[in-house]
């Protein structure tokens, strides 16, 4: 069996999620290629060395330039902040490495298009980390829609609600800096539901939005781990340069209407991603914090016993579920990363393009930019005009 040698850039939240995925892949799935966790890369040598040991990497690098040109690396996984995605991805493509990149693909649409062009020109496989597509319930929703069980889609309604920066004294972390993150709640949270909408409903025609930065200045950060951070007492303040919340409406090319809300100020909501779809024959409802369930209403059910039914998406017949535990033994957030890495490894082994790829990343950036433009110009924007 051939081996895929992986190099990962990033060792924090996403670096850990991806490392865990590579470790679990061969234990629960039977990928067509063996995965070798060659090297993890980060700037802080003490931290990257410790992460290499803890996460199970063979070795480490402190320079991504070195990592992407190593002859013993076949694939580069970019799990670092958005401002470095483009440079690393283009260098990796030019070194003929396959590329996996976290979302959002780039700081802006122009950079995202350059990344796609570099990957295509160099003939490497590319995938983007829209991990929520890989929730079994979301895959089941797709299947039901494709089988015509929902009929013609009229509405897509999505919320992505978090509250981790609601305290005005929460530090100014990199996710609140436009130069590093590119965008705030829209690019970080909205990106996921935009992708789900494209996956389940189809392409966007036009959008109009509104946004707000509720807290404009925050204390300079001292240390960040995951989504927690500290600052020193009396620390100087700096400017928040991204949106705290973005809401927008959309019309899809197939005539469906969409509404989207992405915020980090929804007190009490930790990772509240949810959506509802209403069609001519039925409806679907999903909430990430109950990710093993899908709600399905069918108007084709017998009159008198119609109603939303809760499908426990853990039976072997459900997408990805059979690889894990017996029915009813639920899975969680980290499993979505294993599923997306399985897709990537299989695509490389079978010489096909993985899904979702950089094209999906570009489309998402295009919609994000269209929403931002609609806010700046206070008018509807046709997505394809960008
Ligand atoms: C933080 O808002 C975050 O970790 C996002 O960056 C992820 O993409 C999302 O899955 C959960 O929230």
């Amino acid at each position: 069996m051939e081996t895929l040698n992986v190099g990962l850039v990033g060792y924090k939240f996403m670096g850990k999620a991806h490392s865990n995925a590579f470790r679990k892949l061969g234990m629960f799935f039977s990928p067509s290629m063996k995965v070798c966790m060659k090297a993890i890369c980060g700037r802080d040598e003490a931290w990257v060395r410790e992460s290499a040991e803890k996460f199970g990497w063979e070795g480490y690098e402190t320079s991504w330039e070195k990592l992407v040109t190593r002859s013993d690396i076949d694939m580069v996984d970019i799990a670092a902040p958005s401002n470095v995605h483009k440079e690393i991805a283009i260098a990796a493509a030019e070194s003929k490495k396959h590329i996996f990149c976290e979302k959002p693909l780039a700081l802006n649409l122009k950079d995202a298009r350059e990344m796609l062009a570099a990957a295509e020109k160099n003939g490497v496989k590319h995938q983007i980390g829209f991990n929520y597509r890989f929730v079994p319930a979301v895959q089941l929703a797709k299947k039901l829609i494709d089988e015509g069980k929902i009929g013609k889609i009229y509405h897509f309604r999505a919320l992505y609600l978090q509250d981790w920066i609601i305290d005005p004294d929460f530090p100014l972390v990199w996710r609140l800096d436009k130069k590093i993150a590119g965008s705030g709640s829209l690019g970080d949270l909205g990106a996921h539901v935009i992708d789900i909408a494209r996956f389940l409903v189809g392409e966007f025609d036009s959008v109009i939005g509104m946004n707000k930065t509720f807290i404009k200045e925050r204390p300079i950060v001292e240390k960040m781990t995951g989504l927690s951070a500290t600052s020193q007492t009396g620390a100087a303040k700096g400017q928040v340069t991204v949106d705290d919340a973005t809401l927008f409406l959309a019309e899809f090319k197939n005539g469906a209407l969409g509404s989207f809300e992405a915020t980090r100020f929804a007190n009490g909501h930790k990772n509240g991603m949810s959506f509802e779809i209403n069609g001519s024959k039925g409806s679907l409802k999903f909430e990430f914090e109950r990710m093993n369930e899908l709600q399905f209403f069918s108007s084709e059910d017998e009159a008198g016993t119609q109603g939303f039914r809760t499908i426990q998406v853990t039976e072997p017949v459900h997408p990805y579920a059979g690889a894990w535990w017996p029915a009813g033994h639920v899975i969680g957030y980290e499993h979505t990363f294993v599923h997306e890495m399985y897709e990537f490894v299989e695509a490389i082994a079978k010489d096909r393009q993985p899904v979702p790829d950089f094209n999906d990343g570009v489309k998402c950036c295009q919609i994000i930019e269209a929403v931002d433009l609609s806010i700046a110009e206070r008018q509807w924007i046709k997505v394809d005009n960008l």
Side-chain angles (χ1 to χ4, degrees), residues 267-280:
N267 220 341
H269 292 273
K270 302 303 164 189
N271 199 33
M273 191 274 260
S274 61
F275 63 81
E276 177 161 347
I277 293 176
N278 310 121
S280 57

Side-chain angles (χ1 to χ4, degrees), residues 100-257:
F100 186 101
C101 186
E102 258 306 325
K103 49 57 61 175
L105 188 57
L107 290 179
N108 53 55
L109 178 59
K110 182 176 161 288
D111 287 1
R113 284 183 169 141
E114 282 178 40
M115 289 166 72
L116 170 64
E120 284 180 339
K121 182 171 145 229
N122 288 287
V124 298
K125 310 282 184 235
H126 44 93
Q127 188 174 333
I128 179 157
F130 286 130
N131 59 308
Y132 294 112
R133 276 198 194 203
F134 293 89
V135 172
V138 174
Q139 294 279 331
L140 178 61
K142 171 77 174 153
K143 185 166 172 279
L144 294 173
I145 292 169
D146 289 351
E147 286 169 359
K149 301 258 169 53
I150 305 303
K152 179 176 164 47
I153 296 177
Y154 295 125
H155 291 290
F156 179 82
R157 212 168 289 117
L159 301 175
Y160 204 145
L161 312 177
Q162 294 186 343
D163 72 354
W164 57 282
I165 58 166
I166 198 157
D167 176 358
D169 291 326
F170 186 89
L172 187 61
V173 295
W174 69 266
R175 286 174 195 270
L176 307 182
D177 181 348
K178 193 172 171 61
K179 289 199 295 303
I180 305 179
S183 169
S185 59
L186 178 61
D188 185 35
L189 306 178
H192 282 299
V193 280
I194 288 170
D195 182 65
I196 297 273
R198 289 190 53 253
F199 182 49
L200 297 179
V201 183
E203 293 303 342
F204 284 60
D205 177 77
S206 43
V207 291
I208 188 163
M210 67 196 290
N211 66 7
K212 191 113 188 172
T213 303
F214 297 109
I215 305 295
K216 299 199 167 48
E217 284 193 332
R218 290 179 178 273
I220 303 296
V221 63
E222 183 190 25
K223 192 169 169 230
M224 182 174 192
T225 332
L227 293 181
S228 309
T230 53
S231 58
Q232 281 180 351
T233 335
K237 289 196 170 181
Q239 287 290 320
V240 174
T241 45
V242 299
D243 54 300
D244 286 335
T246 295
L247 281 64
F248 73 96
L249 299 176
E251 179 154 6
F252 292 86
K253 288 188 174 164
N254 62 12
L257 301 181

